[in-house]
Amino acid sequence: HVQLVESGGGLVQAGGSLSLSCAASGRTFSSYAIGWFRQAPGKEREFVAAINWSGGNPYYGDSVRGRFIISRENVKKTVYLQMNSLTPEDTAVYYCAANYRYGSRRQSDFGSWGQGTQVTVSS
């Protein structure tokens, strides 16, 4: 079992960058693939990116591919989401979660959700 806590959210201007962190507690962190989702007001939660237990084979949602980069440091029990070329459409609460079925983009294949961190992109 793993517990996840997101941080790094904030306010940024369009075109800017922001880096989010997902810190884990529990001895089994390095066994888990980890993913990021986001949810904007009035919208469904959307898959953003995921990375496997070793830090390889990341995959991305269509709306962020080419702009966002997911990475991890198992020694620090942390997964990162580097967000570049941000637009107001990226405004959302960002969540990380353990990925129980690698390759999936479905919420039901993720668990141990963090509490989320707010990202706001101003135009």
Side-chain angles (χ1 to χ4, degrees), residues 14 38 40 43 46 63 67-68 86-92 94 121:
R38 66 186 183 184
K43 296 186 177 181
E46 174 191 17
S63 61
R67 299 188 298 124
F68 290 12
L86 288 163
T87 74
E89 288 67 39
D90 295 314
T91 295
Y94 284 71
V121 183

Side-chain angles (χ1 to χ4, degrees), residues 85-102:
S85 302
L86 288 163
T87 74
E89 288 67 39
D90 295 314
T91 295
V93 177
Y94 284 71
Y95 301 90
C96 62
N99 183 342
Y100 300 134
R101 181 172 294 180
Y102 196 68

Side-chain angles (χ1 to χ4, degrees), residues 12 19 46 80 92 96:
V12 63
S19 181
E46 174 191 17
Y80 306 97
C96 62

Side-chain angles (χ1 to χ4, degrees), residues 26-54:
R27 293 179 294 177
T28 59
F29 170 76
S30 60
S31 300
Y32 287 96
I34 300 291
W36 286 94
F37 281 74
R38 66 186 183 184
Q39 188 165 20
K43 296 186 177 181
E44 294 187 354
R45 195 167 292 189
E46 174 191 17
F47 172 78
V48 174
I51 192 166
N52 71 8
W53 68 272
S54 67

Side-chain angles (χ1 to χ4, degrees), residues 4-123:
L4 303 172
V5 178
E6 304 92 339
S7 63
L11 175 64
V12 63
Q13 288 189 330
S17 298
L18 204 60
S19 181
L20 305 183
S21 297
C22 172
S25 60
R27 293 179 294 177
T28 59
F29 170 76
S30 60
S31 300
Y32 287 96
I34 300 291
W36 286 94
F37 281 74
R38 66 186 183 184
Q39 188 165 20
K43 296 186 177 181
E44 294 187 354
R45 195 167 292 189
E46 174 191 17
F47 172 78
V48 174
I51 192 166
N52 71 8
W53 68 272
S54 67
N57 295 325
Y59 59 102
Y60 299 90
D62 291 339
S63 61
V64 307
R65 188 178 296 111
R67 299 188 298 124
F68 290 12
I69 300 171
I70 188 171
S71 62
R72 69 189 291 163
E73 290 187 82
N74 285 342
V75 171
K76 296 184 177 181
K77 294 185 178 181
T78 302
V79 171
Y80 306 97
L81 185 68
Q82 176 65 39
M83 304 185 296
N84 302 314
S85 302
L86 288 163
T87 74
E89 288 67 39
D90 295 314
T91 295
V93 177
Y94 284 71
Y95 301 90
C96 62
N99 183 342
Y100 300 134
R101 181 172 294 180
Y102 196 68
S104 172
R105 291 169 168 79
R106 298 170 54 181
Q107 290 187 60
S108 57
D109 290 323
F110 290 77
S112 300
W113 295 85
Q115 85 290 346
T117 186
Q118 175 70 47
V119 172
T120 302
V121 183
S122 63
S123 57

